[in-house]
Amino acid sequence: TGPDGLEQRQNFRIAVRPAANPVAERRQFAIVAGETLRLPDPGQDGFGEDAVVSVTVGGGDVDSAGLLAMLDRFPYGCAEQTVSRALPLLYANDVAERIGLVADGDVPERINAAIDRLLSYQGSTGGFGLWAPGNDLWLTAYVMDFLSRAREAGYEVSDTAFEQGLNRLQSVLSFIGNIEGERSGEIAYATYVLARNGRAAIGDLRYFAQDQLEKFPTALARAQLAASLSFTGDQSLADGLFARALEAPSQRPGRLDYGTPLRDAAAIVTLAAESRAPQRTLAQLTRRVTAAATDAGERAYSTQEAAWLVLSANAAADTTGVAMVNGEEVGAPGTRAFDAAAMASGVSVQNVGQETLAIAATVTGTPLAPLPRVSNGLTITRSFHGLDGEEIDPSRVAQNTRIVVRLTVRKTRNAAMRIMLTDLLPAGFEVENPRLLSSADAAGVPMVQDGAEPEYREFRDDRFAAAWTLDQASDRPMTVSYMVRAISPGTFTLPAAEVVDMYQPAHVARTEAGTLSVVPTR
């Protein structure tokens, strides 16, 4: 009833989470001068009504809008993921606002929230951990890189916390005797962050670049040293070192620095462009990004890859070219986004410039058909049990039944991995109090947990998630369990359970999806 005493009615739309995680498909087009392209309708390619298509004009193979949207949808918030979501907003906030990702004024709020969250991961010695306070040297350098850039952009970061972070990097470097192997990448990144803040000695940098370069075998490490030299004013040596990065491999097997060849290539282009490297060198480095993106194929991008691709596209933006997108002029680089209804009506892009124009698009949405079972570098099995431990068939269960879901994951490839397990709940079910798994209520359930303890575990209204960091030699199965209760009668989709290496997404395993029914008890 309104203030005038008359009855008022409102219509509400209730959004329901789809029975699968959204997927993204990347598409690239080249439009010659004067040509018009009609973008494919995702509804004809197996996507549902929630599909969104982002389009970047003149961004080469990088759809900045689609990558920002992907980072925004990422559901978890470890230190790396927090940085990767916020770092591009320091430079691409106009893109985020243009595609409706954030409203005007939301970007500073998001960046400040990220800064606050990151400081909660800082340990007493100044270092940062992935899911809790710790001392991961590469991650500490990544967080401090972001905090440095945020301070330069005018954001407030606690002086005490910032100095503690820099002191941690400097103290670790002071006590490292051997800079060979995997540690060389951490040393190069820490050195770069210190140089960005005026804390690196030019003598040490020249020693690394001129006498110890072979101990920094990867292209990214050399590019970080080159950018460090640029900060200290030795541009000639920096330019030479960027050229030497072209001679080095992008990655070495067994590294656990959150990276892939694509991440490294994009980060190198970012550093080279920011350091004003010669255009010829920058063009050669940019071709590495294209080659690495081609090698990545259709797989999902990691948060590291997405963040550095946005930064590389911003740093080396091509400002030539213009297109008409559905009759609206869009100069390069420019972005637009369209929902499923707009795409069904037709979206066209016309090149009204003089040169061939690159168009990158990303289709994001829920596939209408369930994704198939897969196992690549990882395996996952899921079973359902009663409280007596006996395995049950979940296809038909009585309302108020409690079920223990058991998930077993195993690494089958000799590679270090940081994996995330996600099991989406069917509609009609809810997670039971997690503490019951350690109580007498679940005493009859064997192997509630086996193998390495997850370093992160989360029980949400719509999912269960767990994360592990596994070294190269680890091959022991890991089993975790959680309890659900059938609460709402009906027939529902049983979503697939999935485990993926967060930073090498080609390593992935997924169970089959199915259906189940909750039968009312009266």
Side-chain angles (χ1 to χ4, degrees):
T1 303
D4 55 2
L6 298 177
E7 181 179 321
Q8 297 179 346
R9 295 186 180 183
Q10 281 185 294
N11 293 324
F12 294 93
R13 182 176 179 179
I14 300 176
V16 179
R17 190 213 69 204
N21 284 318
V23 299
E25 288 186 3
R26 299 181 298 277
R27 298 167 180 173
Q28 281 85 37
F29 309 96
I31 310 177
V32 300
E35 185 180 52
T36 298
L37 168 73
R38 182 183 172 99
L39 295 177
D41 176 11
Q44 302 298 316
D45 293 333
F47 284 90
E49 295 181 353
D50 64 338
V52 174
V53 178
S54 61
V55 180
T56 296
V57 174
D61 294 331
V62 179
D63 175 25
S64 296
L67 293 172
L68 284 173
M70 183 212 100
L71 289 167
D72 187 68
R73 287 191 309 273
F74 201 81
Y76 307 109
C78 70
E80 183 282 326
Q81 293 150 5
T82 300
V83 173
S84 292
R85 293 175 71 176
L87 178 58
L89 294 178
L90 292 172
Y91 306 97
N93 57 337
D94 57 331
V95 176
E97 291 176 6
R98 192 156 52 242
I99 64 174
L101 184 61
V102 295
D104 185 27
D106 282 354
V107 169
E109 183 178 333
R110 288 194 177 201
I111 292 174
N112 285 323
I115 292 170
D116 291 342
R117 184 179 183 90
L118 287 169
L119 295 184
S120 72
Y121 291 123
Q122 187 174 34
S124 59
T125 60
F128 292 82
L130 187 61
W131 296 103
N135 286 300
D136 181 320
L137 181 56
W138 195 96
L139 180 63
T140 297
Y142 186 49
V143 173
M144 292 304 299
D145 188 1
F146 165 70
L147 294 179
S148 299
R149 293 169 183 264
R151 279 166 64 102
E152 292 163 11
Y155 290 90
E156 184 176 343
V157 180
S158 162
D159 289 338
T160 300
F162 191 74
E163 286 300 312
Q164 283 182 330
L166 293 180
N167 290 340
R168 177 62 185 175
L169 295 179
Q170 204 153 37
S171 65
V172 171
L173 295 189
S174 300
F175 290 98
I176 290 179
N178 182 9
I179 62 174
E180 295 180 350
E182 185 177 330
R183 297 287 278 179
S184 65
E186 299 173 338
I187 294 168
Y189 200 3
T191 299
Y192 164 79
V193 174
L194 291 171
R196 190 174 190 112
N197 288 279
R199 298 268 296 259
I202 184 64
D204 291 343
L205 286 173
R206 289 173 175 162
Y207 174 68
F208 287 158
Q210 295 173 326
D211 300 325
Q212 298 289 307
L213 189 60
E214 295 308 313
K215 293 185 177 180
F216 296 90
T218 65
L220 179 57
R222 294 183 179 186
Q224 287 165 335
L225 292 179
S228 302
L229 287 162
S230 180
F231 276 120
T232 57
D234 196 337
Q235 192 63 41
S236 176
L237 187 54
D239 292 347
L241 206 53
F242 276 119
R244 295 290 300 274
L246 289 164
E247 305 169 1
S250 60
Q251 281 271 319
R252 297 195 316 173
R255 290 173 62 193
L256 198 59
D257 69 347
Y258 305 81
T260 62
L262 179 57
R263 188 287 304 268
D264 286 11
I268 292 167
V269 167
T270 303
L271 295 172
E274 291 176 345
S275 301
R276 303 176 303 281
Q279 282 300 314
R280 181 178 178 182
T281 300
L282 184 59
Q284 291 174 297
L285 292 170
T286 301
R287 285 196 285 273
R288 276 197 169 193
V289 178
T290 301
T294 300
D295 290 342
E298 296 300 317
R299 68 160 174 80
Y301 284 158
S302 72
T303 48
Q304 275 285 296
E305 291 170 332
W308 286 107
L309 281 167
V310 174
L311 263 64
S312 69
N314 177 79
D318 177 9
T319 57
T320 62
V322 63
M324 299 296 291
V325 181
N326 268 12
E328 178 187 2
E329 185 175 299
V330 178
T335 59
R336 294 294 183 270
F338 303 93
D339 60 18
M343 293 301 299
S345 298
V347 174
S348 62
V349 182
Q350 180 185 12
N351 181 0
V352 295
Q354 302 300 313
E355 304 292 337
T356 299
L357 189 61
I359 305 294
T362 305
V363 182
T364 305
T366 306
L368 295 176
L371 295 175
R373 184 185 183 95
V374 67
S375 179
N376 183 27
L378 292 160
T379 63
I380 182 171
T381 58
R382 179 175 62 185
S383 57
F384 303 88
H385 302 261
L387 297 185
D388 58 0
E390 293 295 318
E391 187 168 355
I392 63 172
D393 179 1
S395 61
R396 187 176 176 84
V397 297
Q399 188 178 8
N400 290 320
T401 299
R402 287 188 292 174
I403 300 173
V404 175
V405 184
R406 182 181 302 159
L407 298 143
T408 299
V409 174
R410 185 168 190 168
K411 182 166 68 71
T412 60
R413 186 159 298 171
N414 188 29
M417 299 185 191
R418 288 184 171 91
I419 63 172
M420 171 66 74
L421 164 67
T422 303
D423 192 21
L424 299 179
L425 267 65
F429 282 72
E430 67 178 11
V431 173
E432 188 76 343
N433 187 338
R435 288 175 295 183
L436 289 177
L437 283 183
S438 59
S439 74
D441 286 336
V445 182
M447 293 178 61
V448 165
Q449 180 173 305
D450 188 36
E453 173 79 18
E455 58 186 299
Y456 167 81
R457 187 195 316 246
E458 185 172 357
F459 301 87
R460 294 191 184 180
D461 291 343
D462 71 335
R463 72 189 63 197
F464 167 78
W468 295 262
T469 297
L470 305 176
D471 61 31
Q472 192 167 351
S474 175
D475 62 355
R476 182 180 174 185
M478 294 161 294
T479 298
V480 290
S481 301
Y482 69 101
M483 189 180 295
V484 296
R485 183 190 292 270
I487 57 170
S488 300
T491 299
F492 309 106
T493 297
L494 175 61
E498 183 177 272
V499 61
V500 63
D501 183 340
M502 292 185 289
Y503 304 106
Q504 301 174 85
H507 299 151
V508 61
R510 184 172 50 245
T511 67
E512 291 180 351
T515 58
L516 53 76
S517 295
V518 176
V519 181
T521 54
R522 58 181 179 181

